[in-house]
Protein backbone atom coordinates (compact mmCIF):
# COMPACT_ATOMS: atom_id res chain seq x y z
CA UNK A 1 0.00 0.00 0.00
CA UNK A 2 1.30 3.41 -0.94
CA UNK A 3 1.27 6.07 1.74
CA UNK A 4 0.66 9.55 0.38
CA UNK A 5 1.60 12.42 2.65
CA UNK A 6 1.30 15.44 0.37
CA UNK A 7 -1.28 16.79 -2.06
CA UNK A 8 1.29 16.86 -4.86
CA UNK A 9 2.15 13.19 -4.24
CA UNK A 10 -1.56 12.32 -4.50
CA UNK A 11 -1.93 14.32 -7.70
CA UNK A 12 1.04 12.56 -9.31
CA UNK A 13 -0.31 9.17 -8.28
CA UNK A 14 -3.82 9.99 -9.58
CA UNK A 15 -2.46 11.20 -12.92
CA UNK A 16 -0.80 7.82 -13.50
CA UNK A 17 -4.04 6.00 -12.71
CA UNK A 18 -6.07 8.24 -15.00
CA UNK A 19 -3.50 7.93 -17.81
CA UNK A 20 -3.86 4.16 -17.56
CA UNK A 21 -7.68 4.53 -17.78
CA UNK A 22 -8.16 2.82 -14.41
CA UNK A 23 -11.08 3.62 -12.10
CA UNK A 24 -10.84 4.92 -8.54
CA UNK A 25 -13.06 4.14 -5.55
CA UNK A 26 -12.55 6.57 -2.68
CA UNK A 27 -13.37 6.18 1.02
CA UNK A 28 -12.94 9.30 3.17
CA UNK A 29 -12.50 8.57 6.90
CA UNK A 30 -11.22 10.08 10.13
CA UNK A 31 -9.33 6.87 10.99
CA UNK A 32 -9.68 4.67 14.11
CA UNK A 33 -10.97 2.21 11.55
CA UNK A 34 -13.48 -0.54 12.29
CA UNK A 35 -15.60 -2.99 10.31
CA UNK A 36 -18.01 -0.19 9.29
CA UNK A 37 -15.20 1.54 7.41
CA UNK A 38 -13.92 -1.78 6.10
CA UNK A 39 -17.27 -2.52 4.52
CA UNK A 40 -16.99 0.66 2.47
CA UNK A 41 -13.45 -0.33 1.48
CA UNK A 42 -14.62 -3.82 0.41
CA UNK A 43 -17.35 -2.36 -1.76
CA UNK A 44 -14.84 -0.01 -3.38
CA UNK A 45 -12.44 -2.95 -3.90
CA UNK A 46 -15.14 -4.94 -5.69
CA UNK A 47 -15.96 -2.22 -8.18
CA UNK A 48 -12.76 -0.31 -8.90
CA UNK A 49 -9.23 -0.90 -10.13
CA UNK A 50 -7.80 1.32 -7.42
CA UNK A 51 -9.01 2.00 -3.90
CA UNK A 52 -7.88 5.11 -2.07
CA UNK A 53 -8.68 5.85 1.57
CA UNK A 54 -8.09 9.19 3.27
CA UNK A 55 -7.51 9.47 7.00
CA UNK A 56 -7.93 12.99 8.29
CA UNK A 57 -9.37 14.20 11.59
CA UNK A 58 -10.80 17.35 10.05
CA UNK A 59 -10.63 20.27 12.51
CA UNK A 60 -13.19 22.24 10.46
CA UNK A 61 -16.00 19.84 11.42
CA UNK A 62 -15.47 19.95 15.20
CA UNK A 63 -17.02 22.61 17.40
CA UNK A 64 -14.89 24.35 20.06
CA UNK A 65 -16.32 22.16 22.85
CA UNK A 66 -16.14 18.91 20.87
CA UNK A 67 -13.67 16.03 20.96
CA UNK A 68 -11.15 17.06 18.26
CA UNK A 69 -8.16 16.71 20.58
CA UNK A 70 -9.14 13.38 22.07
CA UNK A 71 -10.53 11.84 18.85
CA UNK A 72 -8.73 8.44 18.56
CA UNK A 73 -5.69 8.40 16.27
CA UNK A 74 -4.08 5.02 15.54
CA UNK A 75 -2.18 5.26 12.30
CA UNK A 76 -0.24 1.98 12.67
CA UNK A 77 -3.28 -0.19 13.34
CA UNK A 78 -5.26 1.56 10.60
CA UNK A 79 -2.48 0.90 8.09
CA UNK A 80 -2.51 -2.82 8.94
CA UNK A 81 -6.28 -2.94 8.45
CA UNK A 82 -6.04 -1.20 5.08
CA UNK A 83 -3.17 -3.39 3.93
CA UNK A 84 -5.24 -6.48 4.76
CA UNK A 85 -8.07 -5.17 2.59
CA UNK A 86 -5.67 -4.58 -0.30
CA UNK A 87 -6.19 -0.84 -0.37
CA UNK A 88 -3.90 0.70 -3.00
CA UNK A 89 -3.14 3.99 -1.31
CA UNK A 90 -3.87 5.91 1.86
CA UNK A 91 -3.75 9.70 1.98
CA UNK A 92 -2.84 11.30 5.32
CA UNK A 93 -3.18 15.04 4.88
CA UNK A 94 -2.32 17.43 7.70
CA UNK A 95 -4.51 20.33 8.79
CA UNK A 96 -1.80 22.75 7.60
CA UNK A 97 -1.94 21.18 4.15
CA UNK A 98 -5.72 21.28 3.87
CA UNK A 99 -6.18 24.71 5.48
CA UNK A 100 -2.97 26.64 4.89
CA UNK A 101 -2.49 30.15 6.22
CA UNK A 102 -4.90 32.49 4.42
CA UNK A 103 -7.47 29.75 3.70
CA UNK A 104 -10.91 31.32 3.11
CA UNK A 105 -13.15 29.03 1.08
CA UNK A 106 -15.94 26.94 2.62
CA UNK A 107 -18.82 24.95 1.19
CA UNK A 108 -22.18 25.47 2.84
CA UNK A 109 -25.01 23.18 1.81
CA UNK A 110 -27.97 25.21 2.99
CA UNK A 111 -31.08 23.97 4.81
CA UNK A 112 -30.18 20.25 5.12
CA UNK A 113 -27.03 21.19 7.09
CA UNK A 114 -29.09 23.05 9.69
CA UNK A 115 -31.47 20.24 10.59
CA UNK A 116 -31.06 17.24 12.98
CA UNK A 117 -27.42 17.15 14.16
CA UNK A 118 -26.76 20.50 12.44
CA UNK A 119 -29.04 22.15 14.95
CA UNK A 120 -26.75 21.08 17.80
CA UNK A 121 -23.40 21.03 15.95
CA UNK A 122 -23.21 24.45 14.35
CA UNK A 123 -20.75 24.52 11.43
CA UNK A 124 -20.24 20.74 11.48
CA UNK A 125 -21.62 20.04 8.01
CA UNK A 126 -19.89 23.10 6.56
CA UNK A 127 -16.66 21.49 7.72
CA UNK A 128 -17.65 18.11 6.30
CA UNK A 129 -18.76 19.50 2.93
CA UNK A 130 -15.63 21.63 2.64
CA UNK A 131 -13.20 18.82 3.33
CA UNK A 132 -15.00 16.35 1.09
CA UNK A 133 -15.14 18.90 -1.75
CA UNK A 134 -11.40 19.40 -1.39
CA UNK A 135 -10.72 15.65 -1.27
CA UNK A 136 -12.88 15.09 -4.37
CA UNK A 137 -10.92 17.77 -6.22
CA UNK A 138 -7.59 16.29 -5.17
CA UNK A 139 -8.40 12.61 -5.74
CA UNK A 140 -10.96 12.87 -8.57
CA UNK A 141 -12.48 9.44 -7.85
CA UNK A 142 -15.11 7.73 -9.99
CA UNK A 143 -17.08 6.75 -6.88
CA UNK A 144 -17.11 8.01 -3.30
CA UNK A 145 -18.30 5.52 -0.66
CA UNK A 146 -20.30 6.79 2.33
CA UNK A 147 -21.95 5.00 5.25
CA UNK A 148 -25.69 5.24 6.00
CA UNK A 149 -24.65 5.40 9.67
CA UNK A 150 -24.17 9.14 9.14
CA UNK A 151 -27.50 9.61 7.38
CA UNK A 152 -27.54 13.40 7.39
CA UNK A 153 -23.97 13.51 6.09
CA UNK A 154 -25.12 11.41 3.13
CA UNK A 155 -27.94 13.87 2.37
CA UNK A 156 -25.60 16.88 2.65
CA UNK A 157 -22.89 15.34 0.46
CA UNK A 158 -25.29 13.98 -2.18
CA UNK A 159 -26.74 17.49 -2.44
CA UNK A 160 -23.29 19.06 -2.72
CA UNK A 161 -22.19 16.62 -5.43
CA UNK A 162 -25.33 17.37 -7.42
CA UNK A 163 -25.36 21.13 -6.89
CA UNK A 164 -21.66 21.63 -7.64
CA UNK A 165 -21.55 19.13 -10.53
CA UNK A 166 -18.82 16.94 -9.09
CA UNK A 167 -18.23 14.16 -11.65
CA UNK A 168 -18.47 11.40 -9.05
CA UNK A 169 -20.96 8.67 -8.18
CA UNK A 170 -22.06 8.49 -4.54
CA UNK A 171 -22.51 4.96 -3.16
CA UNK A 172 -24.18 4.60 0.22
CA UNK A 173 -23.39 1.47 2.21
CA UNK A 174 -25.67 0.09 4.99
CA UNK A 175 -24.71 0.55 8.63
CA UNK A 176 -22.53 -2.17 10.12
CA UNK A 177 -23.57 -3.08 13.66
CA UNK A 178 -22.23 -4.92 16.67
CA UNK A 179 -24.02 -8.20 17.52
CA UNK A 180 -26.37 -6.36 19.89
CA UNK A 181 -27.31 -3.78 17.25
CA UNK A 182 -25.12 -0.84 18.30
CA UNK A 183 -23.89 0.93 15.15
CA UNK A 184 -20.11 0.64 14.95
CA UNK A 185 -18.39 3.97 15.50
CA UNK A 186 -14.90 5.18 16.35
CA UNK A 187 -16.50 7.00 19.29
CA UNK A 188 -17.94 3.81 20.87
CA UNK A 189 -14.62 3.35 22.66
CA UNK A 190 -15.52 6.38 24.82
CA UNK A 191 -18.39 4.39 26.38
CA UNK A 192 -17.94 3.10 29.94
CA UNK A 193 -18.88 -0.52 30.56
CA UNK A 194 -22.31 0.45 31.91
CA UNK A 195 -22.93 2.85 29.04
CA UNK A 196 -21.88 0.20 26.54
CA UNK A 197 -24.42 -2.23 28.01
CA UNK A 198 -27.16 0.36 27.59
CA UNK A 199 -26.08 1.61 24.15
CA UNK A 200 -28.22 -0.86 22.11
CA UNK A 201 -31.39 0.99 23.28
CA UNK A 202 -30.96 3.38 20.38
CA UNK A 203 -31.12 0.66 17.73
CA UNK A 204 -33.89 -1.11 19.66
CA UNK A 205 -35.93 2.11 19.61
CA UNK A 206 -35.42 2.45 15.84
CA UNK A 207 -36.49 -1.17 15.34
CA UNK A 208 -39.54 -0.58 17.49
CA UNK A 209 -40.43 2.43 15.31
CA UNK A 210 -40.11 0.33 12.19
CA UNK A 211 -42.36 -2.39 13.65
CA UNK A 212 -45.00 0.22 14.49
CA UNK A 213 -44.88 1.59 10.96
CA UNK A 214 -45.10 -1.87 9.42
CA UNK A 215 -48.14 -2.57 11.58
CA UNK A 216 -49.85 0.56 10.24
CA UNK A 217 -49.07 3.41 12.68
CA UNK A 218 -48.85 6.66 10.69
CA UNK A 219 -48.62 9.29 13.41
CA UNK A 220 -44.99 10.46 13.87
CA UNK A 221 -45.70 11.74 17.41
CA UNK A 222 -46.89 8.30 18.52
CA UNK A 223 -43.78 6.69 17.11
CA UNK A 224 -41.49 9.28 18.64
CA UNK A 225 -43.16 8.86 22.04
CA UNK A 226 -42.77 5.09 21.90
CA UNK A 227 -39.08 5.49 21.06
CA UNK A 228 -38.59 7.98 23.89
CA UNK A 229 -40.32 5.65 26.33
CA UNK A 230 -38.18 2.70 25.26
CA UNK A 231 -34.94 4.65 25.65
CA UNK A 232 -35.76 6.27 28.98
CA UNK A 233 -37.22 3.09 30.52
CA UNK A 234 -34.23 0.96 29.52
CA UNK A 235 -31.24 3.24 30.00
CA UNK A 236 -29.94 6.38 31.61
CA UNK A 237 -29.48 7.96 28.18
CA UNK A 238 -30.37 11.60 27.59
CA UNK A 239 -32.19 12.05 24.31
CA UNK A 240 -30.91 14.94 22.18
CA UNK A 241 -33.40 14.44 19.37
CA UNK A 242 -35.66 11.89 17.74
CA UNK A 243 -37.09 12.99 14.42
CA UNK A 244 -39.03 11.55 11.53
CA UNK A 245 -37.97 13.45 8.43
CA UNK A 246 -38.18 13.32 4.66
CA UNK A 247 -35.13 11.34 3.56
CA UNK A 248 -34.08 13.92 0.94
CA UNK A 249 -35.02 17.30 2.41
CA UNK A 250 -34.82 16.34 6.10
CA UNK A 251 -38.05 18.29 6.65
CA UNK A 252 -40.21 16.91 9.48
CA UNK A 253 -42.94 14.60 8.21
CA UNK A 254 -46.49 14.93 9.45
CA UNK A 255 -47.52 11.46 8.38
CA UNK A 256 -45.48 8.28 7.96
CA UNK A 257 -45.90 7.37 4.33
CA UNK A 258 -42.76 6.52 2.40
CA UNK A 259 -39.23 7.77 1.83
CA UNK A 260 -38.54 9.03 5.29
CA UNK A 261 -35.72 8.68 7.75
CA UNK A 262 -36.02 8.17 11.47
CA UNK A 263 -32.94 9.74 13.02
CA UNK A 264 -31.93 10.05 16.64
CA UNK A 265 -29.07 11.24 18.81
CA UNK A 266 -28.62 10.32 22.46
CA UNK A 267 -26.02 10.91 25.13
CA UNK A 268 -24.81 8.07 27.32
CA UNK A 269 -22.68 9.84 29.87
CA UNK A 270 -20.52 12.20 27.82
CA UNK A 271 -20.69 10.04 24.69
CA UNK A 272 -22.98 11.09 21.91
CA UNK A 273 -24.43 8.30 19.77
CA UNK A 274 -26.36 8.72 16.52
CA UNK A 275 -28.26 6.24 14.43
CA UNK A 276 -31.00 6.18 11.81
CA UNK A 277 -33.13 4.00 9.60
CA UNK A 278 -34.75 4.67 6.28
CA UNK A 279 -38.31 3.44 6.05
P1 LIG B 1 -15.75 8.51 10.02
O1 LIG B 1 -14.36 7.95 10.08
O2 LIG B 1 -16.54 8.29 11.26
O3 LIG B 1 -15.79 9.91 9.50
O4 LIG B 1 -16.51 7.63 8.92
C1 LIG B 1 -16.02 7.50 7.62
C2 LIG B 1 -17.07 6.84 6.75
O5 LIG B 1 -17.39 5.56 7.29
C3 LIG B 1 -18.38 7.64 6.70
O6 LIG B 1 -18.92 7.58 5.40
C4 LIG B 1 -19.24 6.90 7.71
O7 LIG B 1 -20.62 7.05 7.48
C5 LIG B 1 -18.79 5.47 7.47
N1 LIG B 1 -19.11 4.65 8.65
C6 LIG B 1 -18.75 4.87 9.93
N2 LIG B 1 -19.28 3.94 10.74
C7 LIG B 1 -20.00 3.10 9.95
C8 LIG B 1 -20.80 1.94 10.18
N3 LIG B 1 -20.98 1.44 11.40
N4 LIG B 1 -21.39 1.35 9.12
C9 LIG B 1 -21.23 1.86 7.87
N5 LIG B 1 -20.49 2.94 7.59
C10 LIG B 1 -19.89 3.56 8.60
Amino acid sequence: MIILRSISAVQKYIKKIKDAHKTIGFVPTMGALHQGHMNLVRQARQHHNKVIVSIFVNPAQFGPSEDFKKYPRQIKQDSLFLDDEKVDAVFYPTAEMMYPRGYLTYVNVESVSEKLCGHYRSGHFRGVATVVAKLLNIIRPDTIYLGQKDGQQVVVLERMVKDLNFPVKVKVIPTVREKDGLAMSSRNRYLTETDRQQAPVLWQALKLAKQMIVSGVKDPARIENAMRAHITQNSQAKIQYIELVDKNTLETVTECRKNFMIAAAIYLGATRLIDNIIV
Side-chain angles (χ1 to χ4, degrees):
M1 184 176 67
I2 296 172
I3 295 180
L4 300 161
R5 292 194 184 274
S6 73
I7 293 172
S8 60
V10 178
Q11 285 168 331
K12 254 193 222 152
Y13 178 70
I14 300 296
K15 180 161 187 321
K16 267 199 225 149
I17 299 173
K18 299 269 178 189
D19 286 350
H21 302 288
K22 301 249 163 82
T23 65
I24 300 172
F26 170 51
V27 183
T29 80
M30 297 206 298
L33 301 176
H34 51 69
Q35 288 306 315
H37 298 113
M38 288 308 136
N39 217 25
L40 307 192
V41 167
R42 284 179 205 124
Q43 293 294 324
R45 184 70 287 163
Q46 266 183 34
H47 295 99
H48 293 282
N49 304 118
K50 297 283 180 187
V51 177
I52 303 181
V53 173
S54 64
I55 296 186
F56 180 50
V57 184
N58 172 31
Q61 70 188 70
F62 287 79
S65 61
E66 293 183 351
D67 56 342
F68 174 68
K69 279 217 174 101
K70 76 163 193 181
Y71 196 86
R73 288 154 172 96
Q74 46 174 58
I75 289 187
K76 271 205 185 125
Q77 200 177 320
D78 287 350
S79 299
L80 292 176
F81 258 148
L82 296 176
D83 240 352
D84 273 355
E85 296 295 337
K86 308 215 173 347
V87 166
D88 295 283
V90 58
F91 177 35
Y92 287 114
T94 62
E96 293 71 29
M97 219 179 266
M98 295 300 269
Y99 307 107
R101 190 184 280 270
Y103 189 90
L104 289 174
T105 308
Y106 291 88
V107 179
N108 187 33
V109 183
E110 292 183 7
S111 176
V112 287
S113 293
E114 312 306 323
K115 312 218 184 296
L116 306 176
C117 293
H119 191 70
Y120 303 93
R121 301 188 70 190
S122 174
H124 170 69
F125 290 107
R126 175 181 183 258
V128 171
T130 301
V131 80
V132 172
K134 284 174 68 73
L135 290 167
L136 289 175
N137 281 334
I138 295 166
I139 294 171
R140 295 187 291 136
D142 295 273
T143 308
I144 180 171
Y145 290 84
L146 302 174
Q148 182 56 43
K149 150 89 182 5
D150 299 282
Q152 184 173 11
Q153 175 167 284
V154 167
V155 173
V156 168
L157 293 177
E158 279 181 333
R159 192 73 251 168
M160 179 190 80
V161 161
K162 215 171 181 177
D163 288 354
L164 296 183
N165 310 98
F166 279 99
V168 67
K169 242 193 355 229
V170 179
K171 270 299 253 180
V172 183
I173 306 302
T175 304
V176 178
R177 300 178 180 282
E178 302 287 355
K179 279 203 184 83
D180 59 9
L182 173 65
M184 288 190 186
S185 162
S186 308
R187 288 187 168 102
N188 289 351
R189 68 190 67 196
Y190 299 157
L191 292 166
T192 64
E193 210 171 303
T194 323
D195 293 341
R196 174 64 191 83
Q197 277 165 13
Q198 297 181 7
V201 286
L202 181 52
W203 171 235
Q204 290 159 6
L206 287 166
K207 274 201 305 191
L208 171 70
K210 195 164 181 180
Q211 274 163 18
M212 289 176 76
I213 290 158
V214 169
S215 66
V217 179
K218 293 216 163 34
D219 176 13
R222 233 181 102 190
I223 293 164
E224 187 191 319
N225 287 340
M227 289 177 70
R228 277 184 190 278
H230 180 83
I231 292 170
T232 48
Q233 283 161 20
N234 294 286
S235 74
Q236 271 126 29
K238 291 205 173 61
I239 298 168
Q240 188 175 56
Y241 70 78
I242 294 175
E243 287 195 48
L244 285 82
V245 295
D246 179 278
K247 83 174 178 49
N248 300 310
T249 64
L250 304 183
E251 299 284 350
T252 309
V253 295
T254 50
E255 197 187 22
C256 300
R257 286 194 169 273
K258 51 180 177 179
N259 287 334
F260 62 95
M261 174 160 75
I262 309 177
I266 63 171
Y267 273 97
L268 270 166
T271 311
R272 185 171 178 274
L273 302 177
I274 58 167
D275 204 346
N276 69 85
I277 47 168
I278 304 280
V279 186

